[in-house]
Amino acid sequence: MSTADRLIESTRELLWERGYTGTSPKAIQQRAGAGQGSMYHHFAGKPDLALAAIRRTSEQLRAKADEQFTGPGTALERIAAYLRRERDVLKGCPIGRLTQDPDVMADAALRAPVAETLSWLRERLTQVLAEGRERGELDASLDPETTAATIVAVLQGGYVLARAANSVAPFDAAVTGVLGLLTPAVRCGAGATGS
Amino acid sequence: MSTADRLIESTRELLWERGYTGTSPKAIQQRAGAGQGSMYHHFAGKPDLALAAIRRTSEQLRAKADEQFTGPGTALERIAAYLRRERDVLKGCPIGRLTQDPDVMADAALRAPVAETLSWLRERLTQVLAEGRERGELDASLDPETTAATIVAVLQGGYVLARAANSVAPFDAAVTGVLGLLTPAVRCGAGATGS
DNA sequence: GTCTATATAATGATAGAC
DNA sequence: GTCTATCATTATATAGAC
């Protein structure tokens, strides 16, 4: 891995663990095993490096999510697979946590990939839900767009509850709860006739 | 308002806006119109002042939530009133945001009120849901505990989505979505016989 | 109680040698 | 490309006068 890559990876880790304000250039350099000059040779400064890190994290997040969204099964099964996927729950969402960083939100360039990632997630889930509704897997009364927002919010909020409790239990409960709410939508609308 | 009170209020505002790491004693003093000596006379330091601020914010949050929980209407109506209550959505949750502050989570004293507040919210909603189920307002298959976790998560996650989008729309969508999912639980279980 | 030094470390960067 | 000064500013206090 090149020095530039190591700097980006270190920044990704530190942004996840400590946020933008809590991450100093010095800490990044030490974790990457690079000197000051090295960092400022490859990147204009902390914001420039953070942008590269956030973009890479955003790409990885989307790719991992798409694994579940494009996987096998009904819409509900794919959503359950996504929500129940193995996650570093106690570390939280590496993208969602940046919304609490005022310096990130204040910088249009840093903010854009955060906004795009969460919008993309909602859109992608909207598609999956709409598809499930068309196929009769989900109740016709279910609104794909608002339900997609709910599902993404449950994830993001589940991380918050887990971090507060220092336990994955509230995250798991929130996921179980929303899947429980989604399941009757199948029973009531499509009937208990199938499989 | 006393100097100590002004310091606590300034800290509350800054913790909400910029988090713990992003809030300096100097910024607190300037907003409170107090000098260094004044702050260190009343409080042992930044953690001590933050603790007082977090405790006060926690109390206010619980009191405001209880207004809706103990209000009139069915369980679902009270939950809808709570979720749809007027909020500073783009500022996020003053308690939930602290879960992203590593220095807060690393300090047992600072962490405790954060953990307690979110636990309390889940417990309180669990009670409201259990009550609604007993009264036949909600489907018997609905699990109060996991559903309560889902509702709190939707709130916390809704804030994240709103901040990312710099718009209240995703928050409102998430709330509408979860209320939509809760509503069929009434129709299916209790039947469309009532009112 | 409040104020003004004073102090130590960290932050975020620049300059220039190698 | 990487390294070692160097630098101005901020963070987080302490000390002691008033």
Side-chain angles (χ1 to χ4, degrees):
Chain A
M1 199 159 43
S2 71
T3 299
D5 263 326
R6 288 204 317 281
L7 285 164
I8 292 176
E9 287 304 309
S10 300
T11 305
R12 270 157 40 82
E13 290 170 18
L14 284 164
L15 285 182
W16 197 359
E17 293 167 16
R18 303 200 41 83
Y20 184 80
T21 305
T23 296
S24 68
K26 190 180 177 185
I28 293 170
Q29 293 151 24
Q30 287 178 336
R31 189 170 294 211
Q36 297 245 66
S38 199
M39 175 184 140
Y40 285 102
H41 170 73
H42 292 288
F43 300 94
K46 182 176 163 180
D48 186 37
L49 186 41
L51 181 58
I54 294 171
R55 280 188 175 149
R56 188 176 288 186
T57 297
S58 169
E59 280 167 27
Q60 284 198 3
L61 188 152
R62 298 188 204 197
K64 279 208 87 176
D66 245 348
E67 283 177 25
Q68 270 78 42
F69 295 155
T70 63
T74 64
L76 193 51
E77 283 166 355
R78 281 179 285 156
I79 287 169
Y82 171 62
L83 292 175
R84 293 231 154 99
R85 182 184 84 191
E86 200 188 327
R87 292 167 185 279
D88 261 327
V89 172
L90 292 182
K91 292 186 70 178
C93 176
I95 293 296
R97 74 109 56 232
L98 297 172
T99 60
Q100 305 301 334
D101 242 306
D103 296 341
V104 170
M105 291 298 100
D107 183 327
L110 294 179
R111 171 186 213 130
V114 174
E116 281 163 19
T117 303
L118 291 169
S119 283
W120 177 89
L121 264 181
R122 287 198 288 137
E123 284 164 18
R124 205 66 193 72
L125 273 165
T126 301
Q127 288 169 8
V128 172
L129 288 165
E131 206 177 286
R133 203 176 59 164
E134 279 169 28
R135 292 182 186 166
E137 294 164 11
L138 296 168
D139 193 299
S141 74
L142 182 146
D143 178 52
E145 207 163 324
T146 58
T147 307
T150 299
I151 292 169
V152 179
V154 166
L155 252 189
Q156 295 295 325
Y159 285 129
V160 170
L161 300 184
R163 284 183 62 83
N166 198 29
S167 156
V168 299
F171 178 94
D172 289 339
V175 165
T176 299
V178 76
L179 288 175
L181 290 175
L182 282 166
T183 304
V186 178
R187 290 208 306 272
C188 294
T193 55
S195 61
Chain B
M1 200 159 43
S2 71
T3 301
D5 264 326
R6 287 204 320 279
L7 284 164
I8 292 176
E9 288 303 308
S10 300
T11 305
R12 272 158 37 83
E13 291 171 17
L14 284 163
L15 285 181
W16 197 359
E17 292 167 16
R18 304 200 40 84
Y20 184 80
T21 305
T23 296
S24 68
K26 190 179 176 185
I28 293 170
Q29 293 151 23
Q30 287 180 335
R31 189 171 296 211
Q36 299 245 66
S38 199
M39 175 184 140
Y40 285 102
H41 170 76
H42 291 288
F43 299 94
K46 183 177 161 180
D48 187 37
L49 186 42
L51 181 58
I54 294 171
R55 281 188 173 148
R56 187 175 288 185
T57 297
S58 169
E59 279 166 29
Q60 285 198 3
L61 188 151
R62 298 189 205 197
K64 278 207 89 176
D66 245 348
E67 283 178 23
Q68 270 78 43
F69 295 155
T70 64
T74 65
L76 193 52
E77 283 166 355
R78 281 178 285 155
I79 288 170
Y82 172 61
L83 292 176
R84 292 229 155 101
R85 182 185 85 192
E86 198 188 328
R87 292 167 186 279
D88 260 327
V89 172
L90 291 182
K91 292 186 71 178
C93 176
I95 293 295
R97 73 110 56 233
L98 297 172
T99 61
Q100 305 300 334
D101 241 306
D103 296 342
V104 170
M105 292 295 102
D107 183 326
L110 294 180
R111 174 188 209 129
V114 175
E116 282 162 19
T117 304
L118 291 169
S119 285
W120 178 89
L121 264 182
R122 286 198 289 138
E123 285 164 19
R124 205 67 194 71
L125 274 165
T126 301
Q127 288 170 8
V128 173
L129 288 166
E131 207 177 285
R133 203 177 58 164
E134 280 168 27
R135 292 182 185 166
E137 294 163 11
L138 295 168
D139 192 300
S141 74
L142 181 146
D143 179 52
E145 208 163 324
T146 57
T147 308
T150 299
I151 292 169
V152 180
V154 165
L155 252 189
Q156 294 295 325
Y159 285 128
V160 170
L161 300 184
R163 283 182 62 83
N166 197 28
S167 156
V168 299
F171 178 94
D172 290 339
V175 165
T176 299
V178 77
L179 288 175
L181 290 175
L182 282 166
T183 303
V186 178
R187 290 208 307 271
C188 295
T193 56
S195 64

